[in-house]
Amino acid sequence: MRVFAGESTLLEDRLSFALAPALTPDGVTAAPTFFSGFATQPQVLARGLVTLADITATRYFQYVPTTQRDPILTAQGDRLRAECFSACNGVYARLDLLQAAFDGGDIAHGTTNVDLGSGMRSALSAMGRHELLHLAVGIDGLTVSTPGATTIERPVEMPDRWVRALGNAAEIHHGLTTSFSVNASAAKAFIASLPPATAKTTSGWLTPVRGSLKLVPRRTPGAIYLSGLHRLSALKRVLLHVTGLTVFGPTESTADSGPVLIAVDLPGARLTLGLTDDAWRGYSGEGALLGSLASADVLEDADLLSVILAFDPVINVADLARNAALPESRVHSALAVLATSGRIGWDAHDQAWFHRELPDDPDRVLKDNPRLVAARALVASDAVGQVDGDPNRWTVRSAGVDYLVRLLPESIAAHKPADGARCTCAWYLKYAGGRGACKHVLAASLNLKDES
């Protein structure tokens, strides 16, 4: 995934390693330093990182602990982000360390992936509320220093499954909006009541009731369906520091399933946990990007955006569309291509895209999306045809069977014909579009775009 600038060396008292070259506003830096400064809330920073280590080491579906503890660290000019997925891939976690979390030091640009080993975990877990803490991310890796000790961690290769999951998570979270927020006391009471990670899956409707949060068995006005309450258990580690909690869910929660984001406010930071529709589902297999990728010109558009993508903390879609002379609908589709390489993320709190400096790999569009490959093969074999010239109705012949596909006029107008489409195949009957479009819908979408 990354090409390092030099060899790691084990010295007498520390492990020294080189980070991958970073693309910054000033050009390519062979040995980047992302950040060096003191934490204003040392215990918040320490416990937040350990929370991520807990999550990435836990398999919440059919609970099994693992030894994996390696969050992705990204510096973005205005903040440091640490991200990870659970071992089962059904939980996404991100710790945003904002400017207020640090005293001094400039936050630069870059991304790396480090392992939080037992030494680092012990040092962070023992951090006192008022203990002096210095954090550095750069040529010597992730360095955490207190007056009594210095702990350094090495980078590791990012799991390939995580790259796929990052893109799906961005697209899934992009469709979520603020449902409700609660204050510190209600948030703490809710987190304190969470079942342990080893508990059985508990699901229900999360709703604010008279200043508190409750999980109830039936839908109530404004409630958001949450599957696998035990997947939030890691939040208990930051319980004492919580100042508020916000829930993000689908715009219209009408089904008894759906993704959800829980964002916990902390002094100078924010910890966000994302849950898939069901505890057994992982982000890497959701197929959320398929509809946006079903376009003949999306790869060329993505190449153009990759060149003009700025280093602002957030990605302004309107500015990108204007600079690229493209409609915003095509910009969104092109961003999906960048997301397949993990380069694009979505911050529901800011309602904005952000980027990670990861290697671009356009081949992932096909390698990680076999349904898209199959759809293109169907189009190439002339297996797709309109019904009575209606652009909303198509037949797709696959393995000797004719399947009827229905596209929505509003989705076609928005240049995303696969969104909300229907098919008579077994895939659609099983998932109802909940894990991305089937190959027949994608084939009809590709054929429609080719004809237009």
Side-chain angles (χ1 to χ4, degrees):
M1 287 293 300
R2 309 281 281 170
V3 178
F4 292 91
E7 294 182 348
S8 299
T9 55
L10 181 61
L11 305 180
E12 182 177 350
D13 60 345
R14 63 175 181 158
L15 176 69
S16 177
F17 66 92
L19 293 176
L23 182 62
T24 73
D26 299 320
V28 176
T29 303
T33 298
F34 299 160
F35 174 78
S36 179
F38 289 93
T40 58
Q41 300 287 339
Q43 201 171 66
V44 171
L45 187 154
R47 292 185 176 181
L49 288 176
V50 175
T51 300
L52 264 61
D54 289 343
I55 291 171
T56 196
T58 304
R59 189 182 303 275
Y60 292 95
F61 177 65
Q62 297 179 345
Y63 176 81
V64 177
T66 72
T67 58
Q68 182 175 322
R69 295 184 178 89
D70 48 354
I72 306 163
L73 300 178
T74 300
Q76 293 185 296
D78 72 331
R79 72 191 70 186
L80 290 178
R81 279 190 165 102
E83 301 173 274
C84 73
F85 290 93
S86 62
C88 61
N89 211 234
V91 179
Y92 165 81
R94 186 180 73 246
L95 175 67
D96 290 296
L97 298 167
L98 310 175
Q99 289 277 7
F102 302 105
D103 182 12
D106 293 326
I107 303 176
H109 299 80
T111 299
T112 190
N113 197 47
V114 300
D115 177 52
L116 297 184
S118 57
M120 178 67 77
R121 182 184 173 89
S122 297
L124 293 173
S125 298
M127 190 66 57
R129 182 183 289 270
H130 302 295
E131 190 171 1
L132 194 64
L133 171 64
H134 185 273
L135 180 73
V137 185
I139 188 62
D140 289 325
L142 172 63
T143 304
V144 173
S145 301
T146 66
T150 295
T151 306
I152 303 175
E153 283 293 358
R154 61 181 179 83
V156 294
E157 184 176 357
M158 188 183 302
D160 187 71
R161 188 185 188 191
W162 281 25
V163 179
R164 299 196 305 271
L166 286 171
N168 284 324
E171 186 68 16
I172 291 171
H173 297 164
H174 180 243
L176 306 182
T177 58
T178 302
S179 298
F180 50 82
S181 299
V182 295
N183 59 23
S185 60
K188 289 181 177 180
F190 171 69
I191 294 172
S193 68
L194 291 172
T198 56
K200 294 182 178 180
T201 298
T202 301
S203 304
W205 293 90
L206 189 62
T207 181
V209 179
R210 293 188 295 275
S212 64
L213 274 180
K214 302 290 185 182
L215 193 72
V216 297
R218 294 179 179 83
R219 183 188 291 116
T220 59
I224 292 297
Y225 191 82
L226 189 153
S227 176
L229 189 64
H230 65 292
R231 293 188 286 171
L232 299 175
S233 60
L235 291 175
K236 290 183 177 182
R237 191 173 288 277
V238 296
L239 176 62
L240 295 178
H241 308 284
V242 172
T243 60
L245 183 150
T246 301
V247 177
F248 299 86
T251 304
E252 294 183 4
S253 184
T254 57
D256 287 352
S257 65
V260 63
L261 284 172
I262 305 291
V264 173
D265 295 320
L266 306 168
R270 186 166 52 250
L271 180 59
T272 303
L273 266 58
L275 307 182
T276 52
D277 289 29
D278 295 294
W280 57 269
R281 289 170 63 164
Y283 277 99
S284 60
E286 289 298 271
L289 296 168
L290 285 168
S292 297
L293 296 175
S295 174
D297 49 18
V298 69
L299 292 179
E300 290 78 8
D301 291 347
D303 286 340
L304 177 59
L305 292 192
S306 184
V307 172
I308 65 176
L309 199 61
F311 285 89
D312 297 329
V314 299
I315 296 173
N316 189 307
V317 174
D319 287 347
L320 277 180
R322 183 171 55 254
N323 294 334
L326 294 173
E328 290 192 13
S329 58
R330 285 178 60 176
V331 170
H332 280 291
S333 295
L335 287 176
V337 175
L338 301 181
T340 60
S341 295
R343 297 184 62 192
I344 301 297
W346 176 259
D347 189 325
H349 180 274
D350 294 343
Q351 287 292 294
W353 299 99
F354 64 89
H355 67 269
R356 311 174 188 89
E357 191 48 52
L358 294 176
D360 191 15
D361 185 6
D363 292 340
R364 281 189 171 274
V365 173
L366 298 180
K367 182 177 66 175
D368 291 344
N369 296 284
R371 274 177 273 165
L372 184 58
V373 175
R376 291 186 174 182
L378 289 172
V379 173
S381 63
D382 294 325
V384 184
Q386 279 185 322
V387 178
D388 299 327
D390 186 348
N392 301 323
R393 300 173 64 211
W394 298 78
T395 58
V396 180
R397 189 166 186 81
S398 176
V401 179
D402 289 328
Y403 297 99
L404 178 63
V405 172
R406 293 181 180 272
L407 306 179
L408 298 179
E410 55 269 30
S411 296
I412 296 174
H415 301 284
K416 288 189 176 183
D419 289 0
R422 296 184 178 184
C423 183
T424 56
C425 71
W427 175 273
Y428 183 85
L429 293 176
K430 182 176 181 180
Y431 297 111
R435 304 203 74 181
C438 66
K439 63 182 180 181
H440 312 110
V441 167
L442 292 173
S445 302
L446 287 167
N447 207 73
L448 175 63
K449 291 182 179 181
D450 288 344
E451 290 189 354
S452 61

